[in-house]
Amino acid sequence: MYGAVMKLLALVDLASQVAKPPFLMWVIFGFLFTFADAQGSVPDLRTVLAKEGEPAILPCLHPTGMNLEGETFDLKRGDQEVFFHDSDGSHYNNGRSGQDKQFKGRVWHFPKELKNGNASLLFNNPKVSDTGNYSCIFPKPNKQTFYIWFRVYAAPQPRTAIVDRVEKGVLLKCSTRGASPQPELEWRDSDGNVVPAEKPKISRDSEGRYNIELYAVVTKTKTNDFRCIAKQTSIGHMIHDDIHVPDQMFHDDEWRVWLAGVLGCVIGVAILAVPLAVLLAAKCIKIIWKKDSSRQRCHFCTDGNPAAEPLTEETQTQA
């Protein structure tokens, strides 16, 4: 029975890492209890959720509350020795050998609580790699085993940043590193509306932690405040980071229209002026102004010689 239960607990461990959606993990839990019940014994399974780096308690209580000061009890993870207390009072923290190196100096029992049947352990600085199925074993009076599903999660706060100004707005980046289980990142504006984003870039490090980047282009709003949310649904955890985008980062459309109009006028004048300037430079056109007291007249000559005769009354009248 013990071996079968441990195999099923191993499946639970695997399912928690890969189950998408998370409810598959609970399906396996249901199967575990159905199987155990069919064998005539439902194991005592406790679940402990701990944040990486923060002390946690692994509960290990004798069902009768008997004094454990002179008794043997053992806490294991699979075949790994976590903590062993012998009937002579020796244990892994006072010189006894055999403890797995992964747990050395990190787990402690409560000596004063042993008389109350409490063999629980204080787990210092738990890591994601400590996640797994633990068993608490009491050999006497009748061997009894209790199971602990210990889940250590890492939930670093996401980091937001302004990447660049782009044609349609401002490009923002949200990133998280070393998260476990895998979080889902999401951008929202100050009204709580989801901001469309690119497909997230996901990678994993050597310890199986997740590194994720999510990019989104935002446009000008009333506040220009935006929030990136990291959600770890399987453990019911959510954390966020906020960012403000200054007004000057956004393109001013009215200014752009005005600038386009000015440039259009300049280009139009240039188109008309350039041919005229070329002809003048080649002396193909001369402009001669002849003035009198009442009129002025412009004569154009294409032979390079200006008109020499003065304006007559006839020409003035024609003009």
Side-chain angles (χ1 to χ4, degrees), residues 23-308:
F23 72 81
L24 290 179
M25 181 178 67
W26 300 110
V27 172
I28 295 177
F29 266 116
F31 177 68
L32 167 63
F33 283 103
T34 301
F35 173 82
D37 189 52
Q39 301 296 317
S41 174
V42 178
D44 189 348
L45 179 64
R46 297 179 174 89
T47 300
V48 176
L49 183 64
K51 185 176 182 180
E52 186 173 57
E54 297 183 359
I57 298 293
L58 293 184
C60 186
L61 304 172
H62 196 283
T64 65
M66 64 178 288
N67 189 339
L68 298 175
E69 290 177 326
E71 300 295 335
T72 298
F73 59 87
D74 193 10
L75 195 141
K76 306 175 71 172
R77 187 177 79 164
D79 294 330
Q80 292 178 290
E81 281 290 342
V82 179
F83 187 85
F84 182 84
H85 182 279
D86 208 347
S87 57
D88 61 2
S90 64
H91 53 80
Y92 289 147
N93 290 335
N94 69 0
R96 187 182 181 92
S97 62
Q99 186 178 34
D100 191 282
K101 62 181 181 180
Q102 179 177 341
F103 306 103
K104 285 186 176 180
R106 301 175 59 215
V107 291
W108 304 84
H109 73 305
F110 301 92
K112 293 182 180 181
E113 288 296 317
L114 292 180
K115 62 184 179 182
N116 300 318
N118 185 356
S120 299
L121 298 182
L122 174 65
F123 206 126
N124 282 323
N125 192 29
K127 302 177 182 178
V128 171
S129 57
D130 294 321
T131 295
N133 310 299
Y134 292 72
S135 56
C136 180
I137 306 168
F138 296 107
K140 296 180 180 180
N142 298 314
K143 184 177 180 180
Q144 298 186 66
T145 302
F146 303 91
Y147 303 99
I148 305 165
W149 166 241
F150 186 45
R151 179 66 181 274
V152 183
Y153 70 93
Q157 183 177 17
R159 293 289 179 256
T160 55
I162 297 174
V163 179
D164 198 4
R165 177 188 296 177
V166 295
E167 182 179 356
K168 295 183 179 180
V170 176
L171 181 64
L172 300 182
K173 172 185 176 181
C174 177
S175 60
T176 183
R177 299 185 63 82
S180 180
Q182 179 180 346
E184 296 179 7
L185 301 186
E186 183 179 76
W187 277 106
R188 290 182 179 269
D189 61 21
S190 57
D191 293 327
N193 301 314
V194 176
V195 177
E198 300 176 2
K199 184 178 180 179
K201 298 179 179 179
I202 304 174
S203 62
R204 301 183 73 174
D205 61 21
S206 59
E207 296 182 357
R209 302 164 186 261
Y210 290 86
N211 302 321
I212 305 176
E213 295 180 353
L214 184 66
Y215 294 85
V217 175
V218 298
T219 55
K220 191 173 183 180
T221 66
K222 294 180 180 178
T223 63
N224 293 339
D225 292 328
F226 301 92
R227 170 172 292 182
C228 178
I229 303 173
K231 296 186 292 185
Q232 292 168 300
T233 307
S234 63
I235 59 173
H237 187 271
M238 184 169 63
I239 192 170
H240 67 267
D241 189 34
D242 297 328
I243 190 170
H244 176 77
V245 182
D247 284 341
Q248 56 267 30
M249 289 294 297
F250 294 97
H251 292 293
D252 190 331
D253 292 336
E254 294 182 0
W255 179 83
R256 295 174 69 187
V257 171
W258 177 85
L259 179 60
V262 172
L263 291 176
C265 292
V266 171
I267 293 172
V269 171
I271 291 174
L272 294 174
V274 169
L276 182 60
V278 171
L279 291 173
L280 287 173
K283 296 184 178 180
C284 293
I285 297 177
K286 279 193 176 182
I287 301 175
I288 301 170
W289 294 94
K290 293 187 177 182
K291 300 181 180 180
D292 59 15
S293 59
S294 60
R295 310 270 313 219
Q296 63 180 6
R297 187 173 180 184
C298 182
H299 287 257
F300 296 89
C301 304
T302 59
D303 57 358
N305 297 314

